[in-house]
Amino acid sequence: MKVIQISLYLLPHAAASRRGALEGLFAGGIAATLGSFYAQRRWAYYRNFPPSLKLLSVLIIAAPTLSIQAERRGLEYDKSQWEGEGARLLQVQEQQELSKWESMSAGDKIADWASRHEYSLIIGGWAMSLIASGVIINRNKYQSPAQKIVQARMWAQGLTIGIILTAAGFKTTRNKGETASRPPPDHSWMEVVEQHERERQEEERMKARLASAQRRGAPDVPLTTDYRLNTSAAGPGTEPDLKKAQAWHPSDEYALLSIPGPANEQDGQHMLEWRVTLAGFPMTIRKRLVKLIERTSSSKTKMLDLPLSKDDLAAINAHLRTLTPEEILKWAVESIPGLYQTTAFGLTGLVAIDMLSKITSSPPPLIFLDTLYHFEETYELVEDVRRRYDVPIHVYKPKGCETVADFEKKFGQRLWETNEDVYDFSIKVEPARRAYQDLGVKAVITGRRQSQGADRATLQPLEADETGLLKLNPLFEWTFPFVEWYVAEYNVPKNKLLDQGYRSVGDWHSTSKVGEGQSERAGRWAGKEKTECGLHRNYFSMQERAEKAVGGFVFSRELLC
Ligand SMILES: Nc1ncnc2c1ncn2[C@@H]1O[C@H](COP(=O)(O)OS(=O)(=O)O)[C@@H](OP(=O)(O)O)[C@H]1O
């Protein structure tokens, strides 16, 4: 807040008043002197006045003009010092007064003018009554000039007291009326000052919080003032409603925000992606940034007691939905015991691997279910990841099978065509179960996202499956462009097939390229109704279907388990 030093304000105010006083004295003095000369020439009885009385008649005019003009100049100076919001308020007030004045009757206008100039009227009244009584008393031949002056002053004083009493009575009546009809006092100036003060304190608090978060090892995020947006999704020129941002990811240069767009009949509600350049942030984003930094730098969290009740799960999800993927991962690393990441090295899983490598020096170990039918490029990617990230990879294959030959010896060729339920169970569902039991897995991070649609459209950040396994989906709200952006931005290793027209990669026999405008997973089991490999379906029903398909429990135990 601006503090005005008294000397800086008072000295120019006094100078302005002095200038006004001189102007008033000069103008009043000249007018009164000219008037005195005129009276001297014109009226014999004025010529008979002693010089002191003539001087008094000049002073009577000059003194009020001096004080009135001095006050005017002082007020003018005060007004010139108002600036910004203050000046605006003054203008509004003047405007209100003008319209009030225009709506008044002639009588009210006179009363209003009189009340605003009461001191000028009193001084003027005193002067006029002194002159008038002087003129009347001067006609008395029997009094000496000194007696006449004393008597004129007495008359003038009496008249002036009369004027003052009338003004006081008039003012009291007026005040009573005004108090009854007066609108509540206008405290808007106080609001302006308070608002400025609140903003200043908020800014201070943010700086302090940011500094403290940074001391605790949070990333250094640039906070400047210029703020630009660009979007392809909503069209240029529109601005996102930042309060609705559901997911966002700050990098060194910009943040990606995911905000629900307008619903339409074809796609229903869909998300819009915004790229916000971090040349600077508005206050709303800055606040979220500070929160984010605080969260990412917060210290230890208590480990969860498993299993979770439904209510606990709902409460945790309500919390996780407000976090970024990195925050969710950090929370999981700190609070979920027995945490692993299950991955087929899809783009989403790769993003999570990269984020985890920046969050912790001992990221959750990876579980890769080697179906034996992966593309060569996928196996190459496994090695790339092994080289780039210091994370253990547990590879699980179909039970008792090291090679395709082993698998086909057991189940025959093209099992995915001859018996899909058995295929899904034996290449993914059973090996996964085995891995979870061998390794003591309590929770897995998955690469599923809501925007992949079908069963995943309502995906939550944390789920508990029918076996009690927790599944964490940190990128549940990210869309494909976000994932692609992250991979490119941080040079995350990816499947070479993605540069050849594939978007989601599974087994070679059930994966195809996708055309322009097709959905991300259109190339998986193309032409079939199937949308999931079974890994994320109900374990017990998958097991039951596979057992039925191979001819009952006894036989299935041998073949499948
Ligand atoms: N083979 C294999 N091994 C380990 N984990 C696997 C496997 N297949 C699927 N997943 C997990 O499921 C996530 C989604 O995979 P997909 O989108 O490819 O769908 S599907 O599961 O194959 O139907 C997938 O996400 P990503 O980590 O992005 O691959 C994994 O979390």
Side-chain angles (χ1 to χ4, degrees), residues 342-346 349 367 369 428 446-447 456 521 524 533 536:
T342 182
T343 183
F345 300 94
I367 297 172
L369 307 170
K428 284 214 181 153
T446 90
R456 303 181 186 180
R521 282 169 63 81
R524 301 291 298 276
C533 65
H536 305 297

Side-chain angles (χ1 to χ4, degrees), residues 106 121 125 177 190 283 292 364 433 435 456 533:
L121 282 176
M190 277 169 89
M283 201 63 137
L292 168 87
R433 196 81 234 127
R456 303 181 186 180
C533 65

Side-chain angles (χ1 to χ4, degrees), residues 298-357:
S298 69
S299 51
K300 287 194 182 121
T301 327
K302 196 176 153 284
M303 279 283 169
L304 289 182
D305 284 333
L306 300 180
L308 295 175
S309 70
K310 270 194 172 169
D311 288 348
D312 285 347
L313 187 64
I316 291 173
N317 270 325
H319 169 61
L320 296 184
R321 277 195 292 270
T322 68
L323 305 186
T324 63
E326 285 99 330
E327 292 173 312
I328 295 177
L329 287 168
K330 188 163 193 296
W331 169 84
V333 166
E334 288 170 353
S335 13
I336 304 186
L339 181 67
Y340 285 71
Q341 179 176 355
T342 182
T343 183
F345 300 94
L347 271 195
T348 319
L350 291 163
V351 168
I353 293 172
D354 189 84
M355 287 177 173
L356 282 162
S357 74

